[in-house]
Amino acid sequence: MGLRPPGSGRPSDIGDLSLARRQVTRNEQDAVQAALAAHGVVAVTGATVPSRSAPLAFVLRSGFQFFLPLRMCAAALDAGACVVETDPLMESSFGVVHRARKLAPAAQQFVTDVTIALRTWFTAIDAHRGAGLDLVDAVVAARDTAL
């Protein structure tokens, strides 16, 4: 199990830490860069990794840091990473993109299933936060409850 230091990290605490980033995550990367810049931090990209699954393995075997999507935090802890929640929280919007005309039944079912799964997950996280857990611990508890 990974390390959960007490409290949260401010973007200004990042200082000169070298960050790893993914090649094709413009939206997430822009959100991270904007949040850091708002705190006077100019992030130094020390490495670029090729895929969504690569950053965690890369960070665990190097001296680089990485901003993970919330869903990956529990897996990062399980893998032995030190996970620190940022304060303020860094957020990035996402959604499902599809053609403008009516979806095929299987595609519509996929959109419905994803919507329900996300609502359920966010509701579980909110419940755990209401019970006093910080965000990362609430994500782990929500994941463990769903298993």
Side-chain angles (χ1 to χ4, degrees):
M1 183 62 117
L3 174 66
R4 285 284 297 127
S8 55
R10 294 181 312 271
S12 58
D13 293 340
I14 291 172
D16 60 357
L17 294 177
S18 194
L19 300 176
R21 67 177 186 85
R22 287 196 342 235
Q23 288 176 337
V24 290
T25 57
R26 197 75 218 153
N27 192 30
E28 289 174 12
Q29 191 62 30
D30 288 348
V32 169
Q33 295 294 346
L36 293 174
H39 291 276
V41 176
V42 177
V44 176
T45 299
T48 302
V49 294
S51 70
R52 187 170 187 85
S53 60
L56 181 55
F58 186 79
V59 166
L60 290 171
R61 291 168 181 81
S62 72
F64 293 97
Q65 319 307 310
F66 192 86
F67 286 90
L68 289 172
L70 190 55
R71 272 205 181 266
M72 294 177 74
C73 289
L77 282 168
D78 291 346
C82 175
V83 177
V84 179
E85 180 180 336
T86 60
D87 181 21
L89 186 64
M90 293 183 190
E91 296 181 282
S92 177
S93 298
F94 67 94
V96 176
V97 178
H98 58 81
R99 64 184 183 202
R101 56 184 190 226
K102 186 176 179 181
L103 293 176
Q108 183 57 56
Q109 187 62 52
F110 171 76
V111 171
T112 300
D113 290 349
V114 167
T115 301
I116 291 168
L118 284 172
R119 278 194 195 123
T120 301
W121 188 61
F122 286 128
T123 299
I125 290 170
D126 288 345
H128 290 295
R129 292 200 75 191
L133 294 180
D134 70 18
L135 181 59
V136 174
D137 290 334
V139 167
V140 171
R143 184 233 17 215
D144 290 346
T145 301
L147 294 178

